[in-house]
Amino acid sequence: MKILIVGGKGQLGRGLAATAPADADIVSHDIDTLDIADAAALSACVADVRPDILFNAAAYTAVDKAESEEDAALVVNGTAVGTLANAAQACGARFVHVSTDFVFDGTCGVPYAPDAAPNPVSAYGRTKLAGEQAAGQDALIVRTAWVYAPTGGNFVRTMLRLMAERPEVRVVADQIGTPTYAPGLAQALWTLARDGVTGIHHYTDSGAASWYDFAVAIQEEALAKGLLERAVPVIPITTAEFPLPARRPHYSVLDKSSTFAALGAPAPHWRSNLRVMLGEIAANG
């Protein structure tokens, strides 16, 4: 089974490679070997590899920077997705694209179903919605949220650093979502793709949390594993107290029930996967 991963050095790209089935022959590209803004290069790469499954794990994820660089974000999150989708269709590949909870405005108050009407409130969200639309009806589109892994830039690693450096940390408590462990997301994508699932689906870990809840759990679990030497106060603050260029959805929990049914089991609770991830960091030094 020939596999092409675009965005292979990111958290999800690495997770896809690490959880690949034994029969997967993987070709992986990232910005250093494939310019996602170069439509001709993208098309030529897909035509050359002729994959059975094409995973698009690449994205412009600088949420605040996208407010002043929406055109640049759109090239990666929107235009390139259409190019990859067309190239996949031309060679008969299954196209798998990953999207985000940021396509919603966060005002619903209950978990968003896959068929809920999108209403992005940021440039990043708008460009990711454009990508969903460009991916086409034959694609598998999986929305996720708050992704983290043992490597790369993410909230968990940032909190570990700040908790080691500062006398206290202040974390937003009025934005609610669900953390997602990248290897678990990757495994779900493999299963759905190999089963030939198409359309829009949601996947995160189980449960819900605020960023404050997540930070408190990170400190407790990191202390238990010896990754932090001392506890520091974790102070809950409001979004208004920590203004950023891009608006965030206040409540972006995704309804995963149909996806979990397709997978045959729910995802682990987010705190369980957090414990697994911190265990990996502790084991690897």
Side-chain angles (χ1 to χ4, degrees):
M1 182 173 61
K2 199 67 172 288
I3 307 298
L4 175 58
I5 301 174
V6 178
K9 290 186 177 179
Q11 295 180 125
L12 179 56
R14 292 177 187 271
L16 286 165
T19 60
D23 63 343
D25 177 12
I26 295 176
V27 176
S28 180
H29 283 287
D30 208 277
I31 189 63
D32 53 350
T33 56
L34 181 64
D35 182 2
I36 198 168
D38 186 336
L42 285 184
S43 298
C45 176
V46 177
D48 180 61
V49 175
R50 298 195 63 81
D52 298 295
I53 303 174
L54 166 54
F55 290 103
N56 180 29
Y60 182 111
T61 57
V63 174
D64 292 307
K65 195 175 181 181
E67 291 298 308
S68 58
E69 293 188 356
E70 187 163 354
D71 288 346
L74 183 61
V75 169
V76 178
N77 292 344
T79 307
V81 179
T83 301
L84 289 170
N86 290 336
Q89 186 177 42
C91 68
R94 292 177 186 163
F95 181 50
V96 182
H97 176 64
V98 179
S99 191
T100 174
D101 58 329
F102 270 64
V103 300
F104 298 115
D105 58 20
T107 63
C108 182
V110 297
Y112 283 93
D115 61 355
N119 185 34
V121 293
S122 67
Y124 171 68
R126 289 190 293 272
T127 63
K128 290 296 289 185
L129 179 58
E132 291 185 7
Q133 294 164 344
Q137 295 182 341
D138 294 332
L140 167 61
I141 300 168
V142 178
R143 295 179 181 136
T144 190
W146 299 21
V147 177
Y148 68 95
T151 60
N154 58 66
F155 184 77
V156 179
R157 289 170 56 85
T158 297
M159 284 295 108
L160 291 175
R161 176 176 56 81
L162 294 180
M163 288 168 177
E165 295 174 352
R166 297 184 178 181
E168 66 177 32
V169 293
R170 299 165 62 83
V171 186
V172 170
D174 59 357
Q175 295 174 21
I176 311 297
T178 308
T180 306
Y181 187 43
L185 170 61
Q187 289 178 326
L189 293 177
W190 277 113
T191 299
L192 295 171
R194 296 194 74 179
D195 288 348
V197 176
T198 60
I200 296 176
H201 301 268
H202 288 170
Y203 184 92
T204 66
D205 290 344
S206 295
S210 68
W211 289 110
Y212 167 75
D213 296 328
F214 196 15
V216 169
I218 290 166
Q219 178 163 256
E220 291 177 354
E221 298 292 346
L223 285 167
K225 295 193 179 301
L227 294 172
L228 293 172
E229 295 180 353
R230 57 176 173 76
V232 299
V234 181
I235 311 299
I237 63 172
T238 65
T239 299
E241 292 176 270
F242 190 64
L244 292 168
R247 286 178 60 192
R248 268 72 171 170
H250 282 288
Y251 182 93
S252 61
V253 178
L254 301 176
D255 181 345
K256 288 86 62 176
S257 54
S258 61
T259 310
F260 290 170
L263 293 170
H269 190 272
W270 64 264
R271 185 148 183 166
S272 297
N273 271 341
L274 171 63
R275 195 173 298 125
V276 169
M277 181 270 211
L278 292 175
E280 288 193 24
I281 291 180
N284 295 325

